[in-house]
Amino acid sequence: MREEISDMSEDDETGERARWAPDLSKNRSDDSDSGPGPPIGDSPPPFSDQVLENVLENVLEFLTSRRDRNAASAVCRSWYRAEAQTRRELFIGNCYAVAPHRAVERFQSIKSVVLKGKPRFADFNLVPFGWGAQFEPWVKSFGAAYQHLERICLKRMSVTDKDLTIIAESFPLFKDLTLICCEGFSTLGLAVIAERCRHLRVLDLIEDYLEDEDDEVVDWISRFPETTTSLESLVFDCVTCPFNFDALERLVARSPSLQRLRVNHHVALEQLRRLMARAPQLTHLGTGTFRSEVGFGEVDPNLDLVSAFGASRSLVCLSGFREIEPEFLPAIYPVCANLTSLNFSFANLTAEELNPVIRQCHNLQTFWVLDSVGDEGLRAVAESCRDLRELRVFPLDPTEDSDSSVSDIGLQFISEGCRKLRSILYFCQRMTNAAVVAMSKNCPDLVVFRLCIMGRHLPDRITGEPMDAGFRAIVMNCKKLTRLSVSGLLTDKAFEYIGCYGKLIRTLSVAFAGDSDGGLRYVLEGCTRLQKLEIRDSPFGDASLISGLPFYYNMRFLWMSSCNLSMRGCKEVARNKPNLVVEVIRDVVEEEEEEIEAVEKLYLYRSLAGARTDVPAFVKIL
Amino acid sequence: MWLVNETKPTQVRENKTKEKKLKERREEKRRKRQLRNRNPSLRREREMSVETERSSTESEVSGLDYEETALTLRLPGGTSRVAGSEPDRKRGFSETVELGLGSDAPVGTRGVGSTDDQSDESPESQASVAEKPPAPKARVVGWPPVRSFRKNVMKSCKLVKVAVDGAPYLRKVDLEAYTGYHQLLTALQEMFSCFTIRNYPDEERKLVDPVNGTEYVPTYEDKEGDWMLVGDVPWKMFVESCKRVRLMKSSEAVNLAPRAQHS
């Protein structure tokens, strides 16, 4: 888990879409979407101003923060131009908020692009397949405009092999491809990237879904140049098909700059050892299965493994462990003290198996684990990892009525031991307000608090009361909180508290909560910094939707599914706000023209581009 | 289900024409798939329905496997239970014979509502009756919010190694690919093709090497490190707890039985 990547969901700057007052007269000439011609349609400035602009450009080169840049660009026309000339990274949080050609016209010297597509609930199968977020129009525009593009980072986009080919062909200096939760491409596209991007430093594939059929897998690993490569990071643990291990070993051997390597589950311990021997300089290692491929009673490879880890003095991050055989865990002891990040979230470990490892991880800052370790395991974490900043506890059995071994008790342990905690994601079945309150008081630095009580509408397990009090404490006491996910039995009161105290919250996720329209109103009116609001299965209706009209231009998007919305309310929103795109998504395509009044899924977002033209049949834009 | 970990290098496709054809085939498949998916929920539905089926079977059976066998020694289907008694899930060899290796399906046909009874009696949840929902609810799409990637990885963690005493090689099987012991044994028979399954009158099954008549008893190591006879426990529980399988020579298996009884 690269820290940069796990922060992507927070994208820590507000207002990244520049000024949201479309009637800024000084920039009207730029607002026109007219065809080709000079993008800035006024006469060149006088000489002295030109000098000033040059000076300004030199200064603005050093400005990297997105928010600062947006502010600078709003000062005056001259600053706007200078900023546009000197911006190197383009961040677009919603690919439908602006048209590619417009972005490319304004910013002409981009070296790095970050682009996000589908709404987050797409990860949970709530957005039907084929909804959109195609990378194609973007890559074509970039290909034509950005000769010096070096980095592309995409999240939840649909990327085809053809798009990857365009990347390989268009950008001679290309260095970094990071794809997170994307789909649509295959090993064929990877082969093209490997082969033609001669300066590639980073190829990170994170939780993507590749399209390969079993018999059509391409040996993409062999396609990297035969000479020494400049690879620094190669992450492909989400690629499910087998690959050419010998080719990988040779690749690693000729990549002296390689620091991050995360392999998929077709790598056993014996092979891992070989890779580690080739790359003792690694800092981040994804260990594959972490199980031996030989039978029991055979030569124990453990010894070699221990020396392999012993030789890897630079390791700070371990992940993988997909089919872990716990008897081999002692091999990692030599590196435990240096680890800042450990991902056991695919390892079915008990508390006893975790204990000897975690006791040595004094410097751990990021820890992902399965709830199989139970409250006891979390106690060990709390006692050993005093510096912990991020904790994620995932369910071994991700179903609603599963038995989870972690509860409020584990949360309490963590709150008492890990006082510097900033981010927590906690799946459980049993929770109490008291534990949540304790965490709010013990961990005042919390920026991200995501609690998922898996059973729907579950109250405090001891008092039987709603979980309102717990979340109230969180928003009151954690003054830096910017991201919140709520769960459990919640009344409108919970939302009143969130609206009252959650003034810095930018991302809010709500599911199966609230009593009435009032709940949503509190949030919309109270959370002044709200950017991303996603709601499912909550009793909020048209009245609450309409109450948010004054605020939607300040937000990136609103998602509401399985609430009490109707076409009437959604149409009124669309009518009232011309720069909002209001999408109604249906699960079944109607053949006739008759309209269903109830709205099952609503996705609305601000946009300079108007209604998109790639709408599939099951989406209606109001 | 075979040597998934086998790293046979895939053929390097040097031939450009082949690749071009490959590209075309992929495009064709993608187009077909998109047409097929014009009903957008169809694909997800398919995936989901498989998941739903499995999960609901599990919820039916899990009550049986864990609560039932956790508390008493009697055959599943009994109603009275001693709450708080020592969980005695493991039976000795002689009791295995009773159960037989053929019992794939969960014994008894308790309905989905059975979780009600169990939640009352299971010691763990006695203190927290309030928290369990009254009955298992209809599954909801995308809840709990765990990404498919993670769900798929957790699902596929049921590859176990199979070793045969005296044979130098190892195989892997995906336990989740089978619905019961019979299928598993058949697969083992095919894998180590020298065996035939010999049925004994008391329904105990053994694998026999016809060449030298040696009998092999399928055993497995469970999560707690104990070696058990395959067929000891209901299938689902076996899948959950089995770490690896060993076809042990019958002569050695005799030594196993007393140990198993004491656990």
Side-chain angles (χ1 to χ4, degrees):
Chain A
M1 310 85 61
R2 278 166 67 182
E3 289 68 274
E4 318 84 90
I5 298 305
S6 70
D7 280 342
M8 270 208 76
S9 54
E10 311 320 321
D11 22 272
D12 50 5
E13 313 209 73
T14 53
E16 67 275 328
R17 276 315 301 146
R19 311 101 30 233
W20 279 95
D23 52 347
L24 262 179
S25 52
K26 47 175 126 24
N27 291 311
R28 199 173 311 163
S29 57
D30 300 319
D31 280 348
S32 67
D33 278 344
S34 55
I40 297 160
D42 47 353
S43 53
F47 177 70
S48 56
D49 285 352
Q50 184 66 63
V51 170
L52 213 58
E53 211 165 284
N54 290 344
V55 169
L56 188 61
E57 278 180 24
N58 284 319
V59 171
L60 288 181
E61 286 277 357
F62 295 98
L63 208 62
T64 47
S65 147
R66 226 161 50 226
R67 182 201 269 168
D68 292 345
R69 283 196 155 267
N70 292 341
S73 71
V75 168
C76 65
R77 200 173 285 154
S78 167
W79 281 54
Y80 179 90
R81 273 197 304 269
E83 194 281 314
Q85 290 302 323
T86 53
R87 191 179 289 223
R88 299 288 169 251
E89 173 167 307
L90 183 63
F91 175 94
I92 295 175
N94 175 3
C95 63
Y96 288 122
V98 64
H101 72 86
R102 188 166 169 162
V104 156
E105 274 163 23
R106 178 174 168 188
F107 302 109
Q108 301 192 340
S109 317
I110 295 294
K111 285 192 176 166
S112 162
V113 170
V114 177
L115 190 54
K116 295 186 177 182
K118 300 174 207 164
R120 195 179 75 96
F121 276 2
D123 291 349
F124 316 124
N125 297 344
L126 288 180
V127 176
F129 182 70
W131 173 82
Q134 315 290 342
F135 184 47
E136 187 183 351
W138 290 93
V139 74
K140 285 183 170 163
S141 292
F142 294 154
Y146 296 147
Q147 306 309 317
H148 301 285
L149 193 64
E150 295 180 1
R151 175 180 179 241
I152 292 175
C153 178
L154 304 177
K155 190 167 186 183
R156 293 194 195 95
M157 299 283 299
S158 187
V159 183
T160 62
D161 290 336
K162 191 167 164 222
D163 298 333
L164 295 179
T165 308
I166 295 177
I167 292 176
E169 287 170 353
S170 310
F171 310 118
L173 301 176
F174 197 69
K175 295 194 170 84
D176 180 334
L177 181 64
T178 302
L179 302 177
I180 306 169
C181 299
C182 296
E183 41 84 14
F185 62 99
S186 71
T187 48
L188 201 69
L190 295 182
V192 175
I193 293 285
E195 186 170 3
R196 303 212 213 156
C197 300
R198 311 298 283 190
H199 304 283
L200 198 67
R201 291 194 190 161
V202 173
L203 180 57
D204 283 357
L205 307 170
I206 299 168
E207 296 198 33
D208 305 305
Y209 181 80
L210 275 79
E211 297 280 335
D212 293 289
E213 310 281 353
D214 281 332
D215 55 342
E216 290 176 350
V217 174
V218 172
D219 182 5
W220 57 282
I221 300 271
S222 299
R223 298 303 192 84
F224 283 94
E226 285 296 326
T227 56
T228 305
T229 77
S230 35
L231 268 182
E232 292 170 11
S233 176
L234 182 60
V235 172
F236 63 96
D237 47 0
C238 63
V239 177
T240 49
C241 50
F243 63 94
N244 184 342
F245 179 79
D246 291 335
L248 178 66
E249 193 179 356
R250 287 194 301 271
L251 175 65
V252 168
R254 65 178 189 277
S255 303
S257 310
L258 194 67
Q259 304 224 289
R260 298 190 291 271
L261 178 65
R262 295 200 174 115
V263 297
N264 68 14
H265 63 285
H266 292 289
V267 172
L269 279 173
E270 290 76 11
Q271 294 156 317
L272 183 68
R273 189 190 53 74
R274 281 160 64 181
L275 291 174
M276 290 177 73
R278 298 286 189 181
Q281 78 281 6
L282 287 178
T283 57
H284 296 60
L285 177 64
T287 59
T289 54
F290 213 78
R291 81 189 284 170
S292 167
E293 63 184 355
V294 300
F296 18 99
E298 298 270 343
V299 173
D300 184 6
N302 211 339
L303 288 169
D304 277 325
L305 206 57
V306 171
S307 61
F309 277 96
S312 300
R313 309 238 124 257
S314 317
L315 274 180
V316 294
C317 173
L318 282 181
S319 58
F321 306 104
R322 295 265 286 262
E323 293 168 32
I324 191 173
E325 287 179 336
E327 58 262 39
F328 293 109
L329 264 182
I332 74 170
Y333 289 169
V335 300
C336 283
N338 293 336
L339 286 182
T340 54
S341 172
L342 180 57
N343 182 352
F344 272 157
S345 68
F346 294 109
N348 187 349
L349 295 173
T350 61
E352 292 74 38
E353 288 160 347
L354 174 69
N355 204 8
V357 176
I358 206 71
R359 293 280 167 195
Q360 303 183 54
C361 298
H362 309 290
N363 292 313
L364 213 56
Q365 297 198 355
T366 303
F367 185 51
W368 292 16
V369 71
L370 281 179
D371 64 359
S372 58
V373 302
D375 291 328
E376 271 312 298
L378 292 181
R379 190 218 289 263
V381 174
E383 288 170 2
S384 318
C385 309
R386 298 299 194 169
D387 214 21
L388 200 67
R389 309 296 163 106
E390 177 180 324
L391 175 68
R392 296 195 194 191
V393 181
F394 291 97
L396 174 63
D397 179 6
T399 56
E400 207 184 318
D401 34 27
S402 64
D403 281 322
S404 176
S405 323
V406 301
S407 69
D408 50 282
I409 296 170
L411 193 72
Q412 181 87 28
F413 287 146
I414 294 290
S415 77
E416 285 162 8
C418 308
R419 300 298 179 107
K420 299 186 193 169
L421 202 64
R422 288 192 199 148
S423 170
I424 183 165
L425 169 62
Y426 198 86
F427 282 85
C428 61
Q429 280 289 12
R430 302 182 297 282
M431 187 49 58
T432 62
N433 280 306
V436 178
V437 171
M439 174 151 274
S440 76
K441 292 185 175 157
N442 293 335
C443 307
D445 290 339
L446 275 176
V447 173
V448 174
F449 184 79
R450 297 159 69 189
L451 177 64
C452 182
I453 304 170
M454 291 191 282
R456 289 175 268 158
H457 309 296
L458 287 183
D460 181 312
R461 76 163 172 96
I462 292 178
T463 67
E465 284 175 3
M467 293 299 299
D468 296 346
F471 286 104
R472 174 173 181 250
I474 289 287
V475 290
M476 271 181 69
N477 299 332
C478 302
K479 311 248 194 295
K480 305 178 189 172
L481 197 75
T482 58
R483 183 170 178 185
L484 180 65
S485 293
V486 300
S487 62
L489 180 66
L490 293 170
T491 70
D492 282 349
K493 275 249 158 246
F495 297 103
E496 188 183 344
Y497 301 138
I498 293 173
C500 180
Y501 298 107
K503 295 304 183 187
L504 294 185
I505 292 178
R506 288 201 304 269
T507 307
L508 180 64
S509 300
V510 178
F512 305 101
D515 304 318
S516 72
D517 285 342
L520 181 53
R521 281 188 90 122
Y522 287 129
V523 167
L524 289 170
E525 287 166 7
C527 298
T528 45
R529 295 275 182 100
L530 197 59
Q531 293 282 298
K532 299 180 261 184
L533 181 56
E534 43 189 32
I535 301 172
R536 62 168 294 175
D537 294 274
S538 300
F540 305 135
D542 290 344
S544 60
L545 184 69
I546 288 164
S547 74
L549 279 175
F551 314 112
Y552 294 140
Y553 279 163
N554 295 334
M555 292 167 57
R556 188 187 292 175
F557 71 79
L558 167 67
W559 168 283
M560 288 178 72
S561 60
S562 305
C563 298
N564 291 345
L565 299 176
S566 77
M567 289 299 260
R568 189 194 60 81
C570 298
K571 280 179 179 167
E572 184 167 337
V573 172
R575 197 169 35 236
N576 228 289
K577 293 285 169 187
N579 283 330
L580 269 189
V581 174
V582 180
E583 294 194 12
V584 171
I585 301 168
R586 296 161 290 175
D587 278 326
V588 180
V589 178
E590 299 134 24
E591 294 304 330
E592 302 88 37
E593 276 307 307
E594 51 154 282
E595 212 173 55
I596 300 175
E597 186 58 22
V599 166
E600 181 56 29
K601 292 175 186 168
L602 169 74
Y603 181 52
L604 62 80
Y605 49 90
R606 64 188 176 193
S607 175
L608 294 174
R612 57 187 175 110
T613 49
D614 61 352
V615 184
F618 52 84
V619 172
K620 183 166 183 180
I621 295 187
L622 303 181
Chain B
M1 75 185 74
W2 285 87
L3 279 163
V4 178
N5 229 21
E6 200 177 61
T7 48
K8 224 178 351 189
T10 46
Q11 281 176 359
V12 179
R13 298 178 197 247
E14 299 290 357
N15 196 331
K16 295 290 179 187
T17 342
K18 252 198 224 166
E19 235 183 63
K20 207 174 153 218
K21 283 195 181 149
L22 192 65
K23 266 191 200 173
E24 285 166 16
R25 267 196 8 231
R26 279 173 197 266
E27 284 310 316
E28 188 56 47
K29 277 193 182 171
R30 196 164 294 134
R31 251 177 276 134
K32 280 193 183 146
R33 184 173 41 226
Q34 282 178 1
L35 285 174
R36 217 190 314 141
N37 288 342
R38 192 180 290 156
N39 185 344
S41 57
L42 190 63
R43 165 166 142 163
R44 296 296 175 209
E45 215 173 70
R46 240 184 304 129
E47 285 173 12
M48 265 159 39
S49 63
V50 172
E51 254 188 65
T52 317
E53 265 166 21
R54 279 196 62 245
S55 331
S56 58
T57 319
E58 274 169 26
S59 74
E60 275 180 328
V61 173
S62 65
L64 220 53
D65 288 349
Y66 295 103
E67 266 69 39
E68 288 263 20
T69 48
L71 296 174
T72 64
L73 208 53
R74 86 187 77 234
L75 286 174
T79 47
S80 62
R81 207 161 292 131
V82 181
S85 64
E86 193 77 25
D88 189 356
R89 293 170 302 160
K90 303 173 191 172
R91 296 187 206 91
F93 179 69
S94 54
E95 279 141 325
T96 313
V97 173
E98 277 175 57
L99 198 54
L101 288 174
S103 57
D104 305 331
V107 182
T109 48
R110 302 279 293 264
V112 178
S114 59
T115 34
D116 288 319
D117 311 328
Q118 275 129 31
S119 61
D120 289 328
E121 296 173 82
S122 161
E124 192 191 58
S125 55
Q126 259 175 6
S128 48
V129 177
E131 99 234 359
K132 277 268 187 211
K137 298 179 181 171
R139 305 246 162 218
V140 178
V141 175
W143 188 261
V146 174
R147 286 187 187 147
S148 320
F149 172 73
R150 175 164 293 281
K151 280 185 177 164
N152 291 339
V153 169
M154 299 318 301
K155 262 195 290 185
S156 61
C157 267
K158 263 299 125 191
L159 291 167
V160 294
K161 288 185 238 181
V162 181
V164 181
D165 281 358
Y169 50 85
L170 201 69
R171 288 278 192 260
K172 270 197 186 168
V173 293
D174 178 4
L175 290 183
E176 306 213 320
Y178 308 108
T179 54
Y181 286 112
H182 179 73
Q183 272 200 356
L184 173 64
L185 286 178
T186 312
L188 290 179
Q189 178 200 18
E190 285 165 21
M191 226 173 272
F192 303 94
S193 53
C194 44
F195 296 130
T196 54
I197 299 180
R198 178 179 295 172
N199 287 317
Y200 280 81
D202 51 8
E203 287 187 25
E204 190 188 301
R205 291 206 185 98
K206 288 191 177 134
L207 296 169
V208 181
D209 181 349
V211 173
N212 54 24
T214 323
E215 282 178 357
Y216 292 85
V217 176
T219 65
Y220 72 99
E221 186 185 7
D222 74 359
K223 274 198 180 136
E224 282 148 35
D226 295 315
W227 283 94
M228 315 284 300
L229 286 163
V230 169
D232 216 12
V233 299
W235 172 253
K236 285 286 178 188
M237 196 181 177
F238 166 70
V239 171
E240 169 63 24
S241 60
C242 170
K243 283 189 353 187
R244 47 190 164 196
V245 172
R246 179 174 157 198
L247 298 185
M248 203 183 275
K249 290 187 178 149
S250 278
S251 45
E252 287 187 37
V254 171
N255 296 330
L256 173 69
R259 265 209 313 269
Q261 265 171 353
H262 287 318
S263 62

